[in-house]
Amino acid sequence: MACLTACSKLDLTPLSEPSTASFYSNQTELELAVNDLYRLDFWSNDNEQFTDNYWHRGQLGNAVTFGTMNSEDATAQAFWTICYKAIARVNTFIANKDRAAATTPPAVMTVLEAEMRLIRAYQFSRLITHFGDVPFLLEPVLLEESYGIGRTSKDEILTFIFSELDFAAANLPQSYGSGVKRLTRGAALAIKARTALYMGKFEIARDASFAIMQMTGAGAYTLHNDYSQLFLKAGESSAELIISIPRDEAQKVFTSGGVVQDQTPRNAGGFGAQIPTREMMDAYECTDGKPIDESSLYNPQDPFKNRDPRLRATIVEFNTQWLGYSYQPHPDTLTVFSSKENRRVSNRDNRSVATFASYTGFLWKKGIDQTWVDKVAEDNDAIIIRFAEILLTYSEAKIELGEIDASVLNALNLVRARGYGVGVAQTSLYPAVTTINAVELKKIVRRERRVEFAKEGLRYMDLIRWKLAEKALTKPVIGLPDPGAQNRAKWPFPGATPIDDDGIADYSVFGNDVKVVAQRSFDKSRQYLWPVPALERRVNPNLTQNPNY
Amino acid sequence: MIFVLSMILLLSNSSFAQTRIIRGTVTDNDSNVPLPGVSILIPGTSSGTTTDDGGKFTLNIPVTTKIITLSLVDYQAVEADVTGNEPLVIKMKFGNRSMDEVVVIGYGTQKKKDLTGAVSTIGSKDVGGRQTIQVSEALQGAISGVSVTRSSGAPGSTGSILIRGITTLGTNSPLIILDGVPVSNIDNVNPNDVESVTVLKDAASAAIYGSRGAAGVVLISTKRAKEGQSSFEYNYEYGLQKATALPEYASAPEYMRYFNEQQTNDGASTGSYPQAFIDNFADSNRLFPDKFPFANTNWQKTVMTKDYAPRVRHDLVFTMGTGRVKTKASIGYSKADAFYVNNSYERYLVRINNDLQINKKLSANLDVAYKRTESEAPVVNPIYESRIMPSIYDNFYSDGRYALAKDGRNPIAELNNGGTTKTIYNQIVGRLVFRYKPINDLVLTALVSPSFDLDKSKAFSKKLSFTNPDGTASSFSNRPRTILNEGRNETTVLTGQLLADYNKQITGGHSIGVLGGYEEIYNSFENLTASRSGFPLTDFPYLNSGSLELRDNSGSAGEFALRSFFGRVTYDFQNKYYIQGNLRYDKSSRFGKEYRDALFPSVSAGWAISEENFLKEISWLSFLKIRGSYGQVGNERIGTYPYQAIISFTNALFYQNGVVIPLSGGAQTDYAVENISWETTKTTDIGIDAALFNNRLTLTADYYKKTTSDILLALDIPLYLGFEKPSQNAGRLDVKGWELEMGWKDKIGKLNYSVAFNLSDARSEIIDLKGTQILGAQSTIKGSEFNEWFGYRSNGLYQTAADTVGSPRLNTNVSPGDVRYVDVNKDGKITPDDKVLLGGSLPRYLYGGNIRVDYMNFDFGLVFQGIGKRNSRLSSDIVQPFAEAFGNVPKELIGNFWSRNNKPEENLQARYPRLSTRSISNNYEMSDFWLIDGSYFRIKNLTLGYTIRPELIKRTGIQSLRVYISANDVFAKHNFPKYWDPEVGNSAYPMVTTIMAGASVRF
């Protein structure tokens, strides 16, 4: 009688996916669990728009630069959530991996475990650098138990991070040869070096970066010879990259539409809305190694001349062909030549023609190429850590420790010389650093980090740890004067911008020769740490909040 | 179909005992007007007939028969002697007998006066008569305690139904039973095929549906042929739909001025648009209409090319009831268009209901229904696009080419050529019922009903190229690539039932009914999607014309099943004292083995006081019953496998020898709570049913309290657990409410009229949530109402800088003209900790009613509906300027926002905050600043019909012809800005007023 329709059973399990009851039972399933955490979702540097390098004309700012960050901020909550998602997955993996012990070779098991522990340490590193003290979970937690959890001091977590990364460094290969490229010993050391630098543990930063610099043979790192190529497809398998997450349009990991158009010229079908700031432009030294306000080589009417070549690799130089069109924002340049169309076209990158052409007059160049406008999509790999950062971390750590020696200068000059496209020894072709003055060196290494890593998401944590955010992020965003108000004799810039010892520019001296396009503000009473999400504290009142949120 | 036809042929061969034919006419006792549709029955048999439109009937009766019984809604039943002269003239007396109406209940029927639970019924006039395309729309305001919420008037749009407010925190839609079989959607049936809609509101009535009855049950019966009926009917209706309200926006120069004001408010030294652009706009617009920003485009007019969108319906109904075979077959077609191109809804509904009398003891129903809807809509919402786009962006160049508009985002080009989504739903339902009557008083029923859904969708988003004003090709396009997404879904539902129903009248006035049943339901689904992008040509929306490099696909499947036993016992003594008990035992595959079983009991009782001798004398009291009930029902709709943690597959990318390779990843994303089980709703209900003044006035009132415990819900868990919110049995919700239904029905000479009114209220309170919360602009926390508004308490706008300094603020940017919040916790700063509950978001005091008048050949109807109290949020689409950083400025703001250009006394009157992007995170946070009184009153339907007398057209073979004009959603009174409709929250398709004319002709 119980068979009226289809003799329906009641013990039904999902048809299209496995469930936890049976997972982690063999090597393949362990690998699935590890692979999952290599996804782009779990890896990123900070948003460059949190800094004085990058500005969004449409949004004007964000919770960081508006100073509106509060405990319901979606960005902070998403960041927190994704870190803990990865941590929970690692914890579940570690707790259950022995189910597969019988069928998985111990050597394989160790490497998988080391990868997982590295990823978990990376997530904790991201958490403590942004939130300070956070809940410290190392094994799967039952829901009922989770409500009693409080915040653990960041120092305790930091100690753990270092020991986990040591385990990973000891158990991961330096290279995978012709196999699938996964996290390496170098990756573990690089995260250790970065975390140590951010947390002011300069000895550890020095030692970890030095260990990477000392590596030889397969898997050793070198600087890519061409700075601008490094950020394009050509650089994606460079030996400079320590951790980079592949992105590929054919595999559906890519960005398209507005975000891409925001960074490309209006002549080429973009919007010119997400743009470099004037401060970014002015941060590049002249070829004599001096800041623009000190160098005699600087000419405000020809600001791209005699500058560190990384400027032209990062920001589109005026009057050059860019993505098929000559880029010239001068208000009187109403038409420009297009190499793509082989004729002169109306110049939509000029505010006399298009009201919303770049307000600062600049466009990003770094990492962008013709494919961006052809496909209105980009799938550049996400570079998380590259060797140049290790060199500069080494220099900075040593400078902070007062251990100024030739290795400090060499590390700095390696990065610098590559920016000029020359060898470190060719000191006549680039402004090699020679000073051993600690104060000077500190200024130089900070300047070097800003320009070397422009648009790579490192500036935000630098502003935070150097305690410069309260200065840099309270200055207005500077744009070019409106076309009608532009003094043609002072095109594009009225003079050399005064820049202080912290590298912060001051445009107040220029009056109406520059235009304030937006205000920034940064609340130093609270913003050096992000707020614990309000949701978290409502669910678990045991969690304390960071000051003034 | 062939099967049905051969059955008909087979059965019509059989012959009956010796008979004779009688003929007659039935008329109204007072007016002598012929009465069509009177049911005539030969006592002791199931055979009979129905009068035609002229009130005439012909009936084959056994020679021994001396009496026939006649019945008709609103008339007193009559037993007529058939031994007299023919043609017989039988008169029937008007008298509201609504208490004797038979009402469909769970797995059976009952007379209205015998009901002991809270049950409401409406008939075909209240459903089909509302002239709506969807059944759900017709229920709006029709039944007390039933709320229907609409959110748009788009072609094919439907309403969502709630019974007695909310019951749980998850899915609150009621269980829909169509002719005894659960269905997924109330709108799969043609409103004109509906005979009655019954709503089981309390747990006692719904308990027989056990784990699916918590949110109430809606029982729909479709029309079936009656003995002696024979007709062919054609209905045609044509309607025109007009938007009830359309928002208005700032003019081009106003827009530029406000945009500049916003920029300078945010710290820019000057705005983007030079003052000369604004001052000389009229001249510039005339001289350089193709140059940005000198266009002055009315985007809504551009996109909505039709002020009136047509809508058409055809219905063919075939009815035949002869002897052993009764068939009712209908084919319905409806089509609705939109105010713009490329958006339409077409629906075909076919239904064949057969009643077969196989022999004296065995009968069968064989029903087949087919539904097909085809809808098409643009891939990009043109309403939103046309509203956000400021008028400074050009639609067409002067020579008629599409302009670039906003850098290739041109709503009219996108609408006309940007591609559409086409969706086709097919549903085939069969229903086979065998009824066997082994002995008197006992009926055994077996039902099998398979239902198959086959759906497909095709979304083709096309890339468009544009030209610059000078004719050269532009670099801008609407989207990077042409993309085709296709989807296929298949669902199979099998329902099987076995019922034994025993009813016995015992001398002395005892009647007993016993029902026992078994039911099983199995549901499986599978879906598939595939896509390609990069189509070199945009005219071929098929996957194989896309690029091989950029293709994708996915699929999933699932199944669930339910197995149940249930029973009902009813007893009454002399139609005075009633008692009823229900029990259902359910096992659901959705739960773990140990947590799968559930028992849902209910009991109800009634006392028909008016039957007592001490009240019988009161002549104005026709009927009075008090009743009370208590019962438990459950809810199982919490996903298919909530107790299991699924491993989701992902893709991670790696390099191998410089080549990107994808490797699969897998992770548990949800936290699994293994002991998940049913949630239970207990309802206590007290009600009265009364009829007064010879049944003219009927009145039903109920008070109820329902408590839902073990609510299954995805509650917020600590984010640091690293899982998505799991469903857990998490708490308790109480709802208290009351309902009132009143009706007056009478007749003055030839004028029949009726008035009905209903009013209800429900208020929810969260008693416990196990310490967790659901937080957002609408929050559900302990002590709150369900989805109560949650945010800051506002205290006007800051007027001066002196006010802001030192005042607790969300952040230091908060300036004069921004919304000021109250530091509720008095810690000297405004933080999310200052958020408080701001009042319920659900509508209260729902009411509805209708007035109907029939005079001679005219019929008139009016239906209204409204909400007495509601806290509504003025959504960003209504009042927030510069959406997406460039969007339009709603006209409501003009002259009403705080501005540095205003005089201080003007700013004191300002309703809206200053224009600022930086302050969005302060000003547009949820706060009581944005709450308004959202109550409304609406005329839902007006209908005037005229039926042409049969005599006039008889020669043509037409039985009757009715023509009518009708209008839906004619008028609304509300407190939203004038250009906004109270039922719409955002820039969805507008609500529409529909004006219709139709005719039905019956042969």
Side-chain angles (χ1 to χ4, degrees), chain A residues 8 66 72 146 249 359 381, chain B residues 272 481 563 655 813 835:
Chain A
S8 53
F66 281 159
E72 288 187 329
S146 70
E249 189 179 15
Y359 277 20
D381 288 355
Chain B
S272 293
R481 271 193 299 271
R563 196 180 294 164
Y655 276 107
N813 293 323
K835 290 189 172 184

Side-chain angles (χ1 to χ4, degrees), chain B residues 455-709:
Chain B
D455 307 331
K456 63 178 193 174
S457 64
K458 186 191 281 282
F460 197 42
S461 316
K462 296 194 216 177
K463 177 182 174 175
L464 303 178
S465 303
F466 290 91
T467 50
N468 294 314
D470 62 9
T472 55
S474 164
S475 317
F476 288 103
S477 62
N478 59 336
R479 60 175 59 82
R481 271 193 299 271
T482 295
I483 301 168
L484 176 66
N485 273 296
E486 296 221 40
R488 298 284 185 279
N489 292 305
E490 241 184 89
T491 305
T492 303
V493 185
L494 299 172
T495 305
Q497 289 169 9
L498 295 173
L499 302 174
D501 194 1
Y502 179 77
N503 285 290
K504 183 78 183 165
Q505 309 268 350
I506 301 168
T507 45
H510 306 276
S511 45
I512 295 173
V514 181
L515 170 82
Y518 168 78
E519 182 171 41
E520 59 181 42
I521 296 165
Y522 170 77
N523 187 315
S524 76
F525 56 91
E526 187 172 338
N527 60 60
L528 176 75
T529 65
S531 72
R532 283 199 194 178
S533 56
F535 285 69
L537 299 170
T538 56
D539 296 327
F540 304 98
Y542 297 92
L543 287 171
N544 63 351
S545 17
S547 151
L548 281 177
E549 186 198 356
L550 303 167
R551 51 186 173 173
D552 200 9
N553 54 51
S554 70
S556 70
E559 54 184 350
F560 54 90
L562 184 75
R563 196 180 294 164
S564 322
F565 294 93
F566 52 90
R568 171 164 59 217
V569 180
T570 56
Y571 168 77
D572 81 76
F573 178 64
Q574 289 182 340
N575 289 337
K576 259 190 238 172
Y577 311 108
Y578 297 89
I579 187 154
Q580 185 183 121
N582 289 285
L583 199 62
R584 180 155 181 138
Y585 171 69
D586 274 341
K587 280 162 94 78
S588 168
S589 69
R590 298 185 203 236
F591 305 106
K593 219 168 195 165
E594 299 78 39
Y595 309 96
R596 184 174 287 163
D597 307 56
L599 197 62
F600 300 99
S602 82
V603 60
S604 55
W607 178 25
I609 313 178
S610 54
E611 299 299 305
E612 299 287 355
N613 290 334
F614 59 87
L615 281 181
K616 276 213 161 147
E617 333 252 284
I618 303 175
S619 62
W620 53 265
L621 183 68
S622 323
F623 181 78
L624 175 66
K625 181 172 68 185
I626 56 170
R627 52 186 164 73
S629 75
Y630 170 80
Q632 294 185 5
V633 274
N635 181 31
E636 60 152 6
R637 291 174 296 183
I638 45 141
T640 315
Y641 311 103
Y643 69 99
Q644 301 178 27
I646 292 168
I647 301 293
S648 311
F649 287 130
T650 56
N651 244 341
L653 303 186
F654 295 84
Y655 276 107
Q656 186 168 20
N657 297 321
V659 177
V660 174
I661 55 160
L663 292 181
S664 290
Q668 173 188 350
T669 51
D670 295 283
Y671 185 91
V673 181
E674 285 170 14
N675 61 357
I676 275 188
S677 191
W678 311 96
E679 57 184 54
T680 306
T681 302
K682 296 174 184 157
T683 306
T684 311
D685 187 294
I686 301 168
I688 61 163
D689 297 318
L692 291 84
F693 311 115
N694 194 20
N695 288 321
R696 283 190 191 89
L697 176 67
T698 53
L699 200 143
T700 296
D702 279 278
Y703 172 81
Y704 62 88
K705 187 183 167 206
K706 63 181 176 185
T707 296
T708 304
S709 46

